[in-house]
Amino acid sequence: MQIRTRLTVRFSLIVTIILVVFSNSIFFISSKDREDRFFSVIKSRALSEGKLFSKDVKEVDTNLLRILDKSRISPFSSVILLAIYDDTGKEVYRFPNELAAPILSKDTIIKILANKELRFQQNKIQTAWEYYAGKTDHYFIYVSGFDQTGYDKLYFLAWVIFFCCTVSILVTFITAYFYPIHLLAPINYIIDLVEEITDSNLDLRLPVGKSKDEIDRLATKFNDMLQRLEESFEMKRDFISNASHELRTPLGVMMVQIEVAMMSERTPEEYKKTLGSLLEDIKNLRVMMNGLLELTEANMQPGSLKLKSIRIDEMLWLAKSDLQNQHPDYKVIENYSNIPEDSSKLVIQGNDLLRTSFVNIMNNSCKYSEDKTVIVNLESKNNEIIISFSDKGIGIPPAEMKNIIRPFYRGSNAKSFPGNGLGLALTQKIIELHKGEVRIDSRVNEYTTVTVILPIETK
Ligand code: ADP
C-alpha cells in the first residue's frame, strides 16, 4: 500500500472513530437529559393535580378539575393518563375517563411510600407514581406521558449530528487523500532522481530545501552518500588505471631489454648484465604486487579481520628489525620515555598488518631523509596509544598533502626516490581498520612527522 493511501485510510479512520465517540456521547447525554426533564414535568403535573384534588384547594371540585384537565389537552399535550387514588388504593379520579387506569396494589403503595415516588419507562412512555400529602388528606397520583417535543428535538439533534459527522468524515477523507500530494512531492521527486542515478552520473545531487525537515535531512544524507560513492568510484577508477600503468611500464621496459639483448649475439657478461637488470625489475614488480595484495587484504571489512592482543612497543620493535633487515643503513631512534608503567596501556586488539604499516612509515622517513634516520615516539594517554615517526627529510608540499594517501600517488619531490606510491595508502587503510587515525605534519625540506593514534579498547 502506498504511503498516501495508508495515510488517508489511517487518518480518516482515526477522525471517524473520534467523531463517532464524540457524537454518541452528545446523543447519550442529551437523551438522558430529556428523560430527566420529562420526569420532572410529569412529577410537577402529578403534584399540582393532587393539590387541586385535595381539600387544600376548596375552590376546585372534581368537575372543575376535569374541565381544567380538558382545557390542558392540545396537540402538543404530553400527559396521556392521570389517575388519583386515596389512602386505601381506591381510584377516586381519572382523566381522561375513556382510558383505563392501573390498579394500585399494596406492593406498589409500599414502594411509593419508601421513595416518595416511583418512575419507569416503557416504549418511550414515561410513567410516575407520586405521593401527595395534603394538610388533611393524602393521595397517590398516577401520571403517564409521551414527551413528543423532547423526542422531536432529540431526533433533530441526531440528524444534525449525523449530517455534520458525514460531511466531516468526507472532508477529512478528501483532505487526507489530497494533502499528502504536496507533502510527498519531494519524496516522489527524490525517487525519480534516484532512478536516474547510475555509476556514470554519480555527480547528480538532490536539491536540499531550507526548512531542515525530515525530507531535507534525507536529501542531505543522500547527497553525502553520493559524494562518498563518487569519491570511492573515482578512487577505484584511478586505482585500476594506475595499477595497470605501474605494471605495464616495468613489463614494457623488460620486454625492450630482452628484445635489445636478442637483436645480436652477446657476450656472457652482457647477458649477465641484462639478466641482472631484469631481476631487479622483477623484484620491484614483486614488491608492488605484494603491496597490492596487502592493500586488498586491508580493504576487507573490519569484521573479517583476525584480531589478537598486541603490545605496540613489541610490534614497533619487530617493524624496526624488518626495516633494518631490508636496509641495514637505516637508523631507528626509539624514544619510549613517556610510556606508562602499566603495560596493559600499550596493548590493543590488532592484526599483524600493523607491523607492515609501521615498516612503511619508518621506511618512508629514512628513505626521504639524508641522514636515513627516523625518531619514533611512543606514549599512551586517555585510552589512546600515540606513535609518532619524525624525520628531517624532504618534506611534503602542502598542496599535495591531501593526495599522498591515494594509491600510487607520489609526491612531486619524491619521484627521484624508489617507490610505488602504495605504502601510505596501505598504512592508512590498516590504521582505519583498527579504528585509528593517521595525521601527517610536514614542511618541505625541513621535517615530516607521521602520527598514528590507536584507541585502546576498554572492557
Ligand atoms: P612511496 O614512498 O612509495 O612513494 P607512499 O605511499 O609510502 O609511497 O608515500 C606516498 C608519498 O608521500 C611519497 O611519494 C612522498 O611524496 C610522500 N611521503 C611519505 N612519507 C614521507 C616522508 N617521510 N617524507 C617526505 N615525503 C613523504
Side-chain angles (χ1 to χ4, degrees), residues 12-158:
S12 310
L13 208 74
I14 291 172
V15 173
T16 308
I17 292 172
I18 294 174
L19 282 177
V20 167
V21 171
F22 188 64
S23 34
N24 270 317
S25 312
I26 291 180
F27 186 77
F28 177 77
I29 293 168
S30 306
S31 160
K32 191 86 192 81
D33 181 58
R34 184 214 58 76
E35 190 183 311
D36 291 345
R37 275 173 196 275
F38 192 64
F39 270 128
S40 305
V41 168
I42 57 175
K43 177 183 177 172
S44 64
R45 176 72 195 276
L47 293 178
S48 87
E49 195 80 8
K51 190 173 186 177
L52 291 176
F53 188 80
S54 73
K55 294 188 179 87
D56 294 354
V57 183
K58 293 191 183 75
E59 296 81 1
V60 180
D61 61 3
T62 312
N63 290 334
L64 185 55
L65 185 59
R66 200 169 291 282
I67 294 166
L68 281 174
D69 281 338
K70 255 187 205 155
S71 71
R72 287 199 210 175
I73 292 181
S74 78
F76 307 107
S77 166
S78 47
V79 171
I80 297 170
L81 178 64
L82 260 164
I84 302 176
Y85 302 77
D86 65 13
D87 267 351
T88 60
K90 191 173 146 246
E91 185 189 316
V92 288
Y93 176 79
R94 180 171 77 221
F95 180 83
N97 246 341
E98 312 81 73
L99 294 180
I103 293 164
L104 179 59
S105 67
K106 287 250 158 36
D107 269 4
T108 316
I109 291 178
I110 294 167
K111 280 184 199 157
I112 299 169
L113 289 175
N115 302 308
K116 289 271 183 277
E117 66 176 354
L118 209 61
R119 291 176 170 188
F120 50 93
Q121 176 169 352
Q122 210 174 21
N123 298 334
K124 295 187 184 162
I125 306 286
Q126 283 174 256
T127 306
W129 283 99
E130 299 293 340
Y131 180 64
Y132 176 78
K135 283 178 192 137
T136 52
D137 46 358
H138 314 276
Y139 298 102
F140 296 100
I141 304 124
Y142 172 89
V143 58
S144 74
F146 173 66
D147 184 11
Q148 182 66 56
T149 325
Y151 276 111
D152 286 352
K153 280 186 186 164
L154 202 64
Y155 291 143
F156 180 70
L157 178 72

